Amino acid sequence: MSINTMKAIRLHEFGGPEVLRYEEAPIPELKPGEVLVRVHAVGINPPDWYLREGYKDLPPEWRPPVPFPVILGSDVSGVVEAVATDVQSFSVGDEVFGMVRFPSFGESAAYAEYVAAPASDLALKPAGIDHMHAAGAPMAGLTAWQFLIELGHSEANPLQPELHRPVPLSGKTVLVNGAAGGVGHLAVQLAKWKGAHVIAVASGKHESFLRELGADEFIDYTKSPPEDIAHDVDLVLDTLGGPTTGRFLRTLKRGGALFPVFLGFSDAEEAAKLGVTVSMTQVRSNGPQLAELGCLLDAGTVRVAIDSMFPLAVARKAHERAAGGHIQGKILLTVE
């Protein structure tokens, strides 16, 4: 490997996990406002495989142009190797974590030994956790944070006229669907931290895990539909979202809220009839919010669970694991 190159996972075409190629790529050059991070661990997230597949689930006119070759990934934890001259917030040798330039299409470039990141996207890694757990936190943690605690940006959502507004959680009943996954298991903990009574929905094998994280009630969706069991809920966070998310309307109190994480909700009339607010937001990079989450991670108030870890060179296997479903926590890549 020459002095200006690194190992990375690159995509030269869209397709299944087999199109992920471990190869040499140029080390990114620093631009103003950026730091160069020597990556120790990478968190993998659904946008990684959406990009790998060419956003095949989006209508063709919505698919963003992707310049090949492209490096996947957005979530990293590592050590600052260099800083641009205008960056005051970090120094060489600092341990940092962050979600890099999200949303962007192929510019985050995290599945690599080095990543150039805007300093504003990063926070100091909590000293009390390792790089693996830190790399699992950014996208999942910021998604939960920006849905439940505090909006992370004021960008307009083309699909809803109003800005998303988190609702007060103290003393409220919150149902988290997909509670064992990356966003779900962090949302359960954040809702508990804010004083909510939490109902976790997942398959039965995740029950003890979710009760350990603080879930007050558990519904095994493989035995009975959660919408037949849960009633008088104040807020549903559906981390799976999609076309079936409307079924949760009947679990909610009048004046309650349904927050689907993924597109597909189509029961607006019924929601209006029931007085339910349906709202979503798209997660965006936010270093200051990540620093707040970092304090909770450092204190052990919130913890990142690891489903599985794979060396960067076999990112393909990590994507295959993701496709297998029933994930408990986060899937990570380790970078030597």
Side-chain angles (χ1 to χ4, degrees), residues 162-185:
E162 299 293 317
L163 266 186
H164 176 75
R165 281 193 177 76
V167 296
L169 300 178
S170 181
K172 299 293 174 58
T173 299
V174 176
L175 182 148
V176 179
N177 186 42
V183 174
H185 86 289

PDB file of all heavy atoms in Angstrom, residues 162-185:
ATOM      1  N   GLU A 162     -45.505  20.211   7.889  1.00  0.00           N
ATOM      2  CA  GLU A 162     -45.039  20.707   9.186  1.00  0.00           C
ATOM      3  C   GLU A 162     -43.701  20.085   9.554  1.00  0.00           C
ATOM      4  O   GLU A 162     -43.432  18.933   9.227  1.00  0.00           O
ATOM      5  CB  GLU A 162     -46.053  20.329  10.285  1.00  0.00           C
ATOM      6  CG  GLU A 162     -47.440  20.918  10.081  1.00  0.00           C
ATOM      7  CD  GLU A 162     -47.440  22.426  10.219  1.00  0.00           C
ATOM      8  OE1 GLU A 162     -46.783  22.936  11.147  1.00  0.00           O
ATOM      9  OE2 GLU A 162     -48.091  23.096   9.392  1.00  0.00           O
ATOM     10  N   LEU A 163     -42.883  20.853  10.290  1.00  0.00           N
ATOM     11  CA  LEU A 163     -41.659  20.273  10.852  1.00  0.00           C
ATOM     12  C   LEU A 163     -42.030  19.219  11.885  1.00  0.00           C
ATOM     13  O   LEU A 163     -43.013  19.371  12.613  1.00  0.00           O
ATOM     14  CB  LEU A 163     -40.848  21.359  11.560  1.00  0.00           C
ATOM     15  CG  LEU A 163     -39.745  22.069  10.784  1.00  0.00           C
ATOM     16  CD1 LEU A 163     -38.988  23.000  11.729  1.00  0.00           C
ATOM     17  CD2 LEU A 163     -38.774  21.096  10.133  1.00  0.00           C
ATOM     18  N   HIS A 164     -41.239  18.163  11.962  1.00  0.00           N
ATOM     19  CA  HIS A 164     -41.446  17.153  13.005  1.00  0.00           C
ATOM     20  C   HIS A 164     -41.271  17.800  14.374  1.00  0.00           C
ATOM     21  O   HIS A 164     -40.400  18.645  14.566  1.00  0.00           O
ATOM     22  CB  HIS A 164     -40.419  16.034  12.834  1.00  0.00           C
ATOM     23  CG  HIS A 164     -40.491  15.001  13.922  1.00  0.00           C
ATOM     24  ND1 HIS A 164     -41.488  14.063  13.970  1.00  0.00           N
ATOM     25  CD2 HIS A 164     -39.706  14.774  15.007  1.00  0.00           C
ATOM     26  CE1 HIS A 164     -41.306  13.290  15.031  1.00  0.00           C
ATOM     27  NE2 HIS A 164     -40.239  13.706  15.678  1.00  0.00           N
ATOM     28  N   ARG A 165     -42.114  17.397  15.329  1.00  0.00           N
ATOM     29  CA  ARG A 165     -41.965  17.900  16.703  1.00  0.00           C
ATOM     30  C   ARG A 165     -41.994  16.738  17.677  1.00  0.00           C
ATOM     31  O   ARG A 165     -43.017  16.070  17.811  1.00  0.00           O
ATOM     32  CB  ARG A 165     -43.097  18.864  17.046  1.00  0.00           C
ATOM     33  CG  ARG A 165     -42.861  20.241  16.455  1.00  0.00           C
ATOM     34  CD  ARG A 165     -43.806  21.291  17.035  1.00  0.00           C
ATOM     35  NE  ARG A 165     -43.485  22.591  16.470  1.00  0.00           N
ATOM     36  CZ  ARG A 165     -43.824  22.961  15.233  1.00  0.00           C
ATOM     37  NH1 ARG A 165     -44.456  22.133  14.451  1.00  0.00           N
ATOM     38  NH2 ARG A 165     -43.508  24.168  14.800  1.00  0.00           N
ATOM     39  N   PRO A 166     -40.879  16.490  18.384  1.00  0.00           N
ATOM     40  CA  PRO A 166     -40.930  15.495  19.452  1.00  0.00           C
ATOM     41  C   PRO A 166     -41.976  15.903  20.497  1.00  0.00           C
ATOM     42  O   PRO A 166     -42.306  17.083  20.621  1.00  0.00           O
ATOM     43  CB  PRO A 166     -39.523  15.543  20.048  1.00  0.00           C
ATOM     44  CG  PRO A 166     -38.656  16.077  18.940  1.00  0.00           C
ATOM     45  CD  PRO A 166     -39.534  17.067  18.216  1.00  0.00           C
ATOM     46  N   VAL A 167     -42.510  14.913  21.222  1.00  0.00           N
ATOM     47  CA  VAL A 167     -43.531  15.206  22.239  1.00  0.00           C
ATOM     48  C   VAL A 167     -42.955  14.900  23.629  1.00  0.00           C
ATOM     49  O   VAL A 167     -42.064  14.062  23.752  1.00  0.00           O
ATOM     50  CB  VAL A 167     -44.815  14.374  21.984  1.00  0.00           C
ATOM     51  CG1 VAL A 167     -45.456  14.771  20.667  1.00  0.00           C
ATOM     52  CG2 VAL A 167     -44.518  12.872  21.992  1.00  0.00           C
ATOM     53  N   PRO A 168     -43.443  15.580  24.672  1.00  0.00           N
ATOM     54  CA  PRO A 168     -42.937  15.288  26.030  1.00  0.00           C
ATOM     55  C   PRO A 168     -43.206  13.826  26.380  1.00  0.00           C
ATOM     56  O   PRO A 168     -44.286  13.307  26.102  1.00  0.00           O
ATOM     57  CB  PRO A 168     -43.754  16.226  26.928  1.00  0.00           C
ATOM     58  CG  PRO A 168     -44.341  17.251  26.021  1.00  0.00           C
ATOM     59  CD  PRO A 168     -44.480  16.613  24.678  1.00  0.00           C
ATOM     60  N   LEU A 169     -42.240  13.163  26.986  1.00  0.00           N
ATOM     61  CA  LEU A 169     -42.354  11.723  27.240  1.00  0.00           C
ATOM     62  C   LEU A 169     -42.603  11.381  28.706  1.00  0.00           C
ATOM     63  O   LEU A 169     -43.034  10.269  29.014  1.00  0.00           O
ATOM     64  CB  LEU A 169     -41.076  11.014  26.769  1.00  0.00           C
ATOM     65  CG  LEU A 169     -40.737  11.151  25.280  1.00  0.00           C
ATOM     66  CD1 LEU A 169     -39.438  10.437  24.967  1.00  0.00           C
ATOM     67  CD2 LEU A 169     -41.862  10.618  24.410  1.00  0.00           C
ATOM     68  N   SER A 170     -42.326  12.285  29.604  1.00  0.00           N
ATOM     69  CA  SER A 170     -42.442  11.971  31.034  1.00  0.00           C
ATOM     70  C   SER A 170     -43.877  11.571  31.393  1.00  0.00           C
ATOM     71  O   SER A 170     -44.828  12.291  31.079  1.00  0.00           O
ATOM     72  CB  SER A 170     -42.019  13.187  31.859  1.00  0.00           C
ATOM     73  OG  SER A 170     -42.114  12.873  33.228  1.00  0.00           O
ATOM     74  N   GLY A 171     -44.003  10.392  32.005  1.00  0.00           N
ATOM     75  CA  GLY A 171     -45.317   9.915  32.416  1.00  0.00           C
ATOM     76  C   GLY A 171     -46.180   9.390  31.291  1.00  0.00           C
ATOM     77  O   GLY A 171     -47.331   9.009  31.496  1.00  0.00           O
ATOM     78  N   LYS A 172     -45.654   9.347  30.080  1.00  0.00           N
ATOM     79  CA  LYS A 172     -46.419   8.882  28.919  1.00  0.00           C
ATOM     80  C   LYS A 172     -46.116   7.409  28.633  1.00  0.00           C
ATOM     81  O   LYS A 172     -45.077   6.885  29.042  1.00  0.00           O
ATOM     82  CB  LYS A 172     -46.058   9.715  27.673  1.00  0.00           C
ATOM     83  CG  LYS A 172     -46.370  11.198  27.795  1.00  0.00           C
ATOM     84  CD  LYS A 172     -47.864  11.430  27.852  1.00  0.00           C
ATOM     85  CE  LYS A 172     -48.251  12.868  28.107  1.00  0.00           C
ATOM     86  NZ  LYS A 172     -47.758  13.827  27.141  1.00  0.00           N
ATOM     87  N   THR A 173     -47.028   6.761  27.913  1.00  0.00           N
ATOM     88  CA  THR A 173     -46.801   5.382  27.462  1.00  0.00           C
ATOM     89  C   THR A 173     -46.302   5.424  26.026  1.00  0.00           C
ATOM     90  O   THR A 173     -46.964   5.979  25.141  1.00  0.00           O
ATOM     91  CB  THR A 173     -48.101   4.554  27.545  1.00  0.00           C
ATOM     92  OG1 THR A 173     -48.523   4.524  28.904  1.00  0.00           O
ATOM     93  CG2 THR A 173     -47.869   3.136  27.060  1.00  0.00           C
ATOM     94  N   VAL A 174     -45.129   4.851  25.821  1.00  0.00           N
ATOM     95  CA  VAL A 174     -44.487   4.852  24.499  1.00  0.00           C
ATOM     96  C   VAL A 174     -44.314   3.411  24.043  1.00  0.00           C
ATOM     97  O   VAL A 174     -43.742   2.588  24.764  1.00  0.00           O
ATOM     98  CB  VAL A 174     -43.106   5.544  24.564  1.00  0.00           C
ATOM     99  CG1 VAL A 174     -42.400   5.458  23.213  1.00  0.00           C
ATOM    100  CG2 VAL A 174     -43.249   7.001  24.991  1.00  0.00           C
ATOM    101  N   LEU A 175     -44.822   3.102  22.856  1.00  0.00           N
ATOM    102  CA  LEU A 175     -44.614   1.776  22.262  1.00  0.00           C
ATOM    103  C   LEU A 175     -43.534   1.883  21.200  1.00  0.00           C
ATOM    104  O   LEU A 175     -43.603   2.753  20.323  1.00  0.00           O
ATOM    105  CB  LEU A 175     -45.920   1.250  21.662  1.00  0.00           C
ATOM    106  CG  LEU A 175     -45.873  -0.148  21.036  1.00  0.00           C
ATOM    107  CD1 LEU A 175     -47.225  -0.863  21.215  1.00  0.00           C
ATOM    108  CD2 LEU A 175     -45.508  -0.132  19.558  1.00  0.00           C
ATOM    109  N   VAL A 176     -42.514   1.023  21.282  1.00  0.00           N
ATOM    110  CA  VAL A 176     -41.443   0.992  20.281  1.00  0.00           C
ATOM    111  C   VAL A 176     -41.569  -0.309  19.503  1.00  0.00           C
ATOM    112  O   VAL A 176     -41.436  -1.403  20.078  1.00  0.00           O
ATOM    113  CB  VAL A 176     -40.046   1.097  20.932  1.00  0.00           C
ATOM    114  CG1 VAL A 176     -38.958   1.032  19.859  1.00  0.00           C
ATOM    115  CG2 VAL A 176     -39.917   2.384  21.741  1.00  0.00           C
ATOM    116  N   ASN A 177     -41.855  -0.205  18.211  1.00  0.00           N
ATOM    117  CA  ASN A 177     -41.929  -1.396  17.356  1.00  0.00           C
ATOM    118  C   ASN A 177     -40.563  -1.619  16.711  1.00  0.00           C
ATOM    119  O   ASN A 177     -39.916  -0.678  16.270  1.00  0.00           O
ATOM    120  CB  ASN A 177     -42.994  -1.204  16.269  1.00  0.00           C
ATOM    121  CG  ASN A 177     -43.199  -2.463  15.454  1.00  0.00           C
ATOM    122  OD1 ASN A 177     -43.233  -3.560  16.008  1.00  0.00           O
ATOM    123  ND2 ASN A 177     -43.336  -2.324  14.144  1.00  0.00           N
ATOM    124  N   GLY A 178     -40.133  -2.890  16.654  1.00  0.00           N
ATOM    125  CA  GLY A 178     -38.765  -3.174  16.195  1.00  0.00           C
ATOM    126  C   GLY A 178     -37.782  -2.802  17.279  1.00  0.00           C
ATOM    127  O   GLY A 178     -36.703  -2.260  17.035  1.00  0.00           O
ATOM    128  N   ALA A 179     -38.151  -3.097  18.540  1.00  0.00           N
ATOM    129  CA  ALA A 179     -37.418  -2.561  19.696  1.00  0.00           C
ATOM    130  C   ALA A 179     -36.026  -3.148  19.865  1.00  0.00           C
ATOM    131  O   ALA A 179     -35.193  -2.551  20.547  1.00  0.00           O
ATOM    132  CB  ALA A 179     -38.240  -2.788  20.971  1.00  0.00           C
ATOM    133  N   ALA A 180     -35.745  -4.304  19.278  1.00  0.00           N
ATOM    134  CA  ALA A 180     -34.421  -4.913  19.488  1.00  0.00           C
ATOM    135  C   ALA A 180     -33.380  -4.429  18.486  1.00  0.00           C
ATOM    136  O   ALA A 180     -32.188  -4.669  18.670  1.00  0.00           O
ATOM    137  CB  ALA A 180     -34.524  -6.439  19.416  1.00  0.00           C
ATOM    138  N   GLY A 181     -33.809  -3.746  17.429  1.00  0.00           N
ATOM    139  CA  GLY A 181     -32.874  -3.321  16.385  1.00  0.00           C
ATOM    140  C   GLY A 181     -32.042  -2.120  16.807  1.00  0.00           C
ATOM    141  O   GLY A 181     -32.103  -1.666  17.954  1.00  0.00           O
ATOM    142  N   GLY A 182     -31.259  -1.602  15.862  1.00  0.00           N
ATOM    143  CA  GLY A 182     -30.339  -0.509  16.164  1.00  0.00           C
ATOM    144  C   GLY A 182     -31.041   0.705  16.747  1.00  0.00           C
ATOM    145  O   GLY A 182     -30.755   1.143  17.865  1.00  0.00           O
ATOM    146  N   VAL A 183     -32.000   1.263  16.008  1.00  0.00           N
ATOM    147  CA  VAL A 183     -32.733   2.439  16.501  1.00  0.00           C
ATOM    148  C   VAL A 183     -33.598   2.045  17.685  1.00  0.00           C
ATOM    149  O   VAL A 183     -33.654   2.746  18.700  1.00  0.00           O
ATOM    150  CB  VAL A 183     -33.610   3.043  15.375  1.00  0.00           C
ATOM    151  CG1 VAL A 183     -34.480   4.172  15.921  1.00  0.00           C
ATOM    152  CG2 VAL A 183     -32.736   3.559  14.229  1.00  0.00           C
ATOM    153  N   GLY A 184     -34.268   0.907  17.584  1.00  0.00           N
ATOM    154  CA  GLY A 184     -35.242   0.497  18.592  1.00  0.00           C
ATOM    155  C   GLY A 184     -34.651   0.367  19.984  1.00  0.00           C
ATOM    156  O   GLY A 184     -35.199   0.894  20.959  1.00  0.00           O
ATOM    157  N   HIS A 185     -33.503  -0.318  20.096  1.00  0.00           N
ATOM    158  CA  HIS A 185     -32.984  -0.573  21.448  1.00  0.00           C
ATOM    159  C   HIS A 185     -32.474   0.706  22.107  1.00  0.00           C
ATOM    160  O   HIS A 185     -32.499   0.839  23.324  1.00  0.00           O
ATOM    161  CB  HIS A 185     -31.937  -1.695  21.436  1.00  0.00           C
ATOM    162  CG  HIS A 185     -30.533  -1.307  21.148  1.00  0.00           C
ATOM    163  ND1 HIS A 185     -30.107  -0.910  19.886  1.00  0.00           N
ATOM    164  CD2 HIS A 185     -29.422  -1.262  21.944  1.00  0.00           C
ATOM    165  CE1 HIS A 185     -28.803  -0.646  19.940  1.00  0.00           C
ATOM    166  NE2 HIS A 185     -28.372  -0.846  21.176  1.00  0.00           N
TER     167      HIS A 185
END
